[in-house]
Amino acid sequence: MGVVARTGAPDRHSELLAQQTTDMPPIDYAAIAPVLIVLVAACLGVLIEAFVHRRQRWIAQVVLSLLAVILAGAQVLRHAREINTGGTTLSDTVAVGPATLFLWGTLLALALGAILLIADRSIEPGGAFVAETNPEASRRPADAPGAASAEVMNRATASVAGMRTEVFPLTLFSLGGMMVFCAANDLLTMFVALEVLSLPLYLLCGLAKRRRLLSQEAAVKYFLLGAFASAFFLYGLALLYGYAGSVKFSDIADATAGSLRSDTLLFAGLGLVIMGLLFKGSVGPFHLWTPDVYHGAPTAVTGFMAACTKVAAFGGMLRLLHVAFDASSWEWHWVLWTVAVLSMVIGVVSGLTQRDVKRMIAYSSIAHAGFLMVGAITLTERGLSATLFYLFAYGFTTLAVFGIIGLVRTSEGEATHLSDWAGLAKRSPLLATVFTFLLLALAGIPATSGFMGKFVVFSAAFSAGMGPLVVIALLASALAAFLYLRLIVLMFFNDPAPDGPTVSVPGAFTTAAITLGVVVTLLFGLAPQLALDWASVGGFVS
């Protein structure tokens, strides 16, 4: 009997092992390859920080980051040509379809430009994230013996060894979280992705070289308000789980389509979850963090945050509304209708009172978030493709805008006060002309991608029967144009101050990032069909 027991035990173990192997869910590695490439590169970036000498870290991190984004983009394009309807993987927690691939491609292209801005070290020694190379020398009085030579030594070594190269893996981790956020197929995965994309951004906002206290204050405000938003999202997740008995989008959709459960849990849960998403998308009145963080964060980080975070936030919101809450749209439609109007009004009215360029663009982004909400609540295929195109167009224009803002400088750093931009066209006609073109794109002037984005979104909303909202959006867009025209008039029709700021000669990385944004803004303003065709291939899958 003992022999039988000993020989039977391995057989039983083999049966259990075979059963576990059979029950293990299949993983489509090809579908999630872009996300895996970005996250693996981020982990390798951490190892570079730990084991590579300081003098070699910058070039290693730049090459790794750019290579990861390019390879991930190539995987997205390859998969986009092969995919038909899409599917789910990782136990149905991630869904990859045509709309998700469009969002991934947009995020990766914007991240490429943002990494180029972050990597530039030509505008100031060591770049915008350089650490203090000699604290004792920095505290030495200017007329003290050896102070001048210490300053020269600091400047010489800053460009080689002073840059805080941890910004690159942090950027990649945030990018990976954004990609998962757009593809999440349940609320729990979406929450985890929300934290992965947010936590690195909190750190990146506090890493400015100049105006260090302002940068750290912005990071603390972003962190505290972000924590509240995450708590709202998590509490809403719990209420929706209590309502539907599941956190999967498909199960929530089935429950809202026909259920005798209490609608109180549904309304409260949906409101709290949407509140967290509206915070990330800088939608008024959940925008309080936006002006301070845009103003205090390093400009390259602001560009990355303004472009990519908005794409991720609205990508997640579109997926949630189209997949999980389409059947219950009559319950939340008018609430988000009101939110869209409030966001437009807050962005335009508050933007008119600003005297700082970065804060003005921050309020401009709040107004644009209202325009995007018009497309988000248009639950049609046309509305989805139009909103995706708007995100694509707005992201590249905004990235180039912040690239140019970082070039106008005084002896104390960036010149962001509006008075500093007076007569800029006389100092640098080329930069003023390019900046004017980008501002006109944000205003929605024809022959720019901004005009086409607003046109397709407003057309889709009007076709869906939201004529009054479209009229309000058109009026807000017309008033918002004054934000940009005021700055254009200041640059071209005012005289520069004798001690005004100078325009730095951009390095190769900054030039490439600005050129990318300008070319995309012009190209898809004149020929938008390529991006619209891709955005119209299909919707979200679940």
Side-chain angles (χ1 to χ4, degrees):
M1 293 179 61
V3 176
V4 174
R6 286 194 298 269
T7 56
D11 294 338
R12 178 61 178 164
H13 177 72
S14 300
E15 292 177 2
L16 292 175
L17 183 61
Q19 183 179 359
Q20 292 176 359
T21 304
T22 304
D23 295 340
M24 183 176 295
I27 300 176
D28 188 354
Y29 288 101
I32 60 174
V35 178
L36 294 178
I37 291 173
V38 171
L39 293 179
V40 168
C43 295
L44 292 177
V46 175
L47 295 178
I48 289 176
E49 290 297 308
F51 297 107
V52 176
H53 192 275
R54 180 180 297 178
R55 294 180 180 273
Q56 284 77 46
R57 287 179 194 168
W58 179 83
I59 184 63
Q61 294 282 22
V62 171
V63 171
L64 175 64
S65 300
L66 294 177
L67 187 62
V69 171
I70 292 172
L71 287 178
Q75 287 294 320
V76 168
L77 293 176
R78 182 190 64 81
H79 198 49
R81 289 196 298 267
E82 298 176 354
I83 196 169
N84 293 320
T85 58
T88 62
T89 185
L90 294 173
S91 297
D92 295 333
T93 59
V94 174
V96 181
T100 301
L101 291 175
F102 184 90
L103 290 167
W104 282 2
T106 302
L107 284 171
L108 290 168
L110 292 173
L112 178 65
I115 290 172
L116 291 174
L117 289 179
I118 292 171
D120 196 292
R121 301 188 300 177
S122 62
I123 299 175
E124 53 183 315
F129 306 93
V130 66
E132 195 71 60
T133 55
N134 191 346
E136 294 298 328
S138 65
R139 291 193 293 266
R140 190 177 302 171
D143 55 351
S149 60
E151 176 65 19
V152 171
M153 181 63 69
N154 269 343
R155 288 181 174 272
T157 58
S159 61
V160 177
M163 184 174 184
R164 304 181 66 114
T165 49
E166 65 267 24
V167 298
F168 296 102
L170 288 174
T171 302
L172 290 178
F173 275 122
S174 182
L175 175 62
M178 293 175 187
M179 295 175 70
V180 176
F181 192 74
C182 295
N185 200 35
D186 62 65
L187 291 173
L188 191 58
T189 303
M190 181 173 276
F191 174 75
V192 173
L194 178 66
E195 295 306 298
V196 173
L197 77 89
S198 299
L199 293 176
L201 285 177
Y202 302 150
L203 295 174
L204 289 171
C205 289
L207 295 180
K209 171 186 176 182
R210 299 177 183 268
R211 299 188 301 176
R212 182 66 57 85
L213 292 179
L214 184 63
S215 176
Q216 293 173 349
E217 179 186 353
V220 171
K221 288 180 179 178
Y222 193 17
F223 169 72
L224 292 177
L225 293 176
F228 279 110
S230 297
F232 288 142
F233 186 98
L234 191 59
Y235 191 30
L237 182 156
L239 294 179
L240 288 174
Y241 177 77
Y243 172 78
S246 174
V247 294
K248 289 186 177 181
F249 290 167
S250 57
D251 294 337
I252 295 174
D254 293 339
T256 57
S259 173
L260 298 178
R261 300 178 179 92
S262 171
D263 287 339
T264 303
L265 291 176
L266 173 63
F267 296 152
L270 175 59
L272 291 172
V273 167
I274 291 294
M275 190 182 301
L277 297 179
L278 294 176
F279 171 88
K280 281 300 171 187
S282 302
V283 183
F286 309 97
H287 67 284
L288 296 180
W289 64 274
T290 310
D292 291 334
V293 175
Y294 275 40
H295 179 61
T299 300
V301 172
T302 305
F304 172 69
M305 184 168 46
C308 294
T309 304
K310 196 170 291 291
V311 173
F314 274 92
M317 190 184 307
L318 286 169
R319 177 163 181 76
L320 189 68
L321 296 180
H322 279 258
V323 177
F325 297 103
D326 187 7
S328 60
S329 60
W330 62 274
E331 297 168 334
W332 51 259
H333 176 83
W334 290 106
V335 176
L336 295 187
W337 197 98
T338 306
V339 168
V341 174
L342 286 175
S343 189
M344 297 177 209
V345 173
I346 291 172
V348 173
V349 174
S350 300
L352 293 174
T353 64
Q354 300 305 308
R355 293 294 180 265
D356 185 272
V357 176
K358 292 175 73 174
R359 294 182 72 89
M360 187 194 77
I361 299 299
Y363 281 105
S364 165
S365 75
I366 296 168
H368 279 277
F371 303 144
L372 283 164
M373 286 299 300
V374 176
I377 61 179
T378 306
L379 297 182
T380 62
E381 292 184 4
R382 186 178 175 186
L384 175 60
S385 61
T387 309
L388 293 177
F389 178 82
Y390 197 128
L391 289 169
F392 176 85
Y394 174 80
F396 282 100
T397 304
T398 302
L399 189 66
V401 163
F402 282 105
I404 290 180
I405 290 175
L407 298 178
V408 183
R409 313 185 68 82
T410 65
S411 59
E412 298 180 355
E414 295 171 354
T416 59
H417 197 276
L418 282 178
S419 61
D420 295 329
W421 290 69
L424 189 68
K426 296 179 175 62
R427 295 182 181 271
S428 179
L430 177 61
L431 181 135
T433 301
V434 173
F435 195 53
T436 298
F437 172 73
L438 295 171
L439 292 176
L440 293 176
L442 291 177
I445 300 301
T448 65
S449 61
F451 169 79
M452 292 306 305
K454 290 182 179 179
F455 177 78
V456 295
V457 165
F458 296 164
S459 298
F462 188 81
S463 300
M466 293 190 291
L469 182 59
V470 172
V471 172
I472 296 174
L474 288 172
L475 292 175
S477 182
L479 292 175
F482 180 75
L483 294 176
Y484 316 111
L485 294 177
R486 176 181 57 172
L487 185 53
I488 294 171
V489 170
L490 198 64
M491 290 190 296
F492 282 90
F493 300 102
N494 288 64
D495 294 325
D499 56 345
T502 59
V503 177
S504 301
V505 178
F509 287 163
T510 297
T511 302
I514 295 174
T515 303
L516 176 64
V518 172
V519 169
V520 170
T521 301
L522 178 61
L523 177 62
F524 290 96
L526 299 176
Q529 203 57 43
L530 177 62
L532 282 172
D533 288 343
W534 187 13
S536 304
V537 167
F540 295 103
V541 298
S542 178

